[in-house]
Amino acid sequence: MPLSEQEQRLLDEMERHLMQNDADVVSAPAGPQVLSYRNLIIGALVVLGGLGAVIAGIALWRTSLPLGLTLGVVGFAAMLGGVILALTPVKGSAPAPRPSGIGQAPRGPRQNASFMDRMNERWERRQNGDQ
């Protein structure tokens, strides 16, 4: 159902307002952000260490309140830092655009393509008789 003239004007006005006032939203990178395998592993280890510190802090709570409390707070901070480290995308990780090669030989399925993309490529090759 198409928008009425008044609705279209209101939508255009809202869009202009968004562009003027929220420049950071408009200029946000839209490309995929890649997580680092190394950061994931280190972050997971830091989270496990923080969890161990929290458990040790709970165990020491009865015998030494200040030590148990300090250990628990430090463990919680470590867990939070580990999660943040694990989920931080790598800077400059967006793949560089490749120029389209005219006249190049067709390549096989890309290794980094998703499963469905590879299956679609195989289906298209079969339909074209290339196999």
Side-chain angles (χ1 to χ4, degrees):
M1 176 176 196
L3 297 175
S4 69
E5 197 173 308
Q6 180 184 2
E7 291 171 335
Q8 186 64 41
R9 265 186 295 147
L10 183 60
L11 183 63
D12 290 340
E13 181 182 334
M14 288 170 47
E15 185 177 347
R16 278 193 307 273
H17 184 11
L18 178 66
M19 292 284 207
Q20 291 171 353
N21 294 338
D22 294 335
D24 57 337
V25 174
V26 175
S27 65
Q33 296 183 350
V34 179
L35 296 178
S36 167
Y37 183 72
R38 189 192 88 215
N39 284 357
L40 285 171
I41 297 298
I42 293 172
L45 292 175
V46 169
V47 167
L48 288 176
L51 183 63
V54 168
I55 292 172
I58 292 171
L60 292 175
W61 185 274
R62 285 206 177 261
T63 59
S64 174
L65 180 65
L67 179 62
L69 182 64
T70 304
L71 199 55
V73 169
V74 167
F76 179 77
M79 289 189 325
L80 184 63
V83 168
I84 290 172
L85 175 67
L87 297 179
T88 302
V90 178
K91 294 179 182 172
S93 61
R98 295 183 182 184
S100 61
I102 299 174
Q104 289 182 347
R107 288 184 267 165
R110 299 182 320 260
Q111 294 298 326
N112 61 350
S114 72
F115 175 75
M116 290 305 295
D117 290 339
R118 290 193 310 265
M119 292 297 112
N120 285 335
E121 287 177 11
R122 286 178 64 189
W123 177 258
E124 289 172 6
R125 281 198 318 263
R126 285 182 183 164
Q127 293 299 316
N128 294 336
D130 295 343
Q131 291 198 7

